[in-house]
Amino acid sequence: VAFIAESLRPIIAPGTPVLVAVPAYQWLFGSHDVALGHHRRYGRRQLLRQVDPWLEVVEHGSLFWSLLLPRAAGVVAERAGMSTATTHGIGDWSHGRMVTTLMNGVLAADARAGRALVRAGVRVPGLSHWAFGVAR
């Protein structure tokens, strides 16, 4: 809320299209979030409540639904001491062109499928929540 009020509202005029995306589900918070600079994760309703005074939401949904279970398993393993904490963010990706291309394809397919589900009226959980709308 403070970020919206102090950083976004002053530079975004009413009527401007806005896309907001946040990490989802506080119970998934772990070392990976710390490495990425996340301070918290949000529930869908929480995101919508916090942007409502500022943004007329037209559409909202989730991203990375195909990665939700692997991420949850990673957090459980981390909390049980069965995995090492992540101390680096996405900037340290070094898996080569082939794996990178494969991951890009998987994530693009995830986004297309998630968007199709939203259009069909089906809400699926994912690692991120997003809201698209127009600034008030």
Side-chain angles (χ1 to χ4, degrees):
V1 172
F3 176 73
I4 290 170
E6 297 166 12
S7 299
L8 298 180
R9 248 198 169 134
I11 62 169
I12 296 177
T16 302
V18 177
L19 175 66
V20 176
V22 296
Y25 307 115
Q26 185 61 28
W27 59 270
L28 286 175
F29 194 88
S31 62
H32 184 68
D33 292 290
V34 173
L36 293 174
H38 297 162
H39 297 283
R40 69 190 57 80
R41 289 177 157 269
Y42 297 82
R44 179 180 54 84
R45 288 186 192 117
Q46 182 184 16
L47 168 64
L48 295 175
R49 269 194 318 271
Q50 291 186 356
V51 300
D52 182 62
W54 171 65
L55 188 67
E56 183 179 334
V57 174
V58 174
E59 193 172 353
H60 62 91
S62 295
L63 289 171
F64 313 123
W65 58 273
S66 64
L67 300 177
L68 185 61
L69 289 178
R71 179 71 192 123
V75 169
V76 168
E78 181 181 321
R79 290 183 184 156
M82 296 185 300
S83 73
T84 58
T86 302
T87 58
H88 57 277
I90 192 70
D92 288 336
W93 178 266
S94 60
H95 297 287
R97 183 181 302 241
M98 189 167 69
V99 173
T100 300
T101 300
L102 176 66
M103 287 306 300
N104 281 338
V106 167
L107 295 177
D110 178 289
R112 283 190 304 274
R115 184 104 161 134
L117 289 167
V118 165
R119 287 188 174 145
V122 178
R123 299 242 179 251
V124 292
L127 289 182
S128 296
H129 294 304
W130 59 269
F132 175 77
V134 179
R136 297 181 197 268

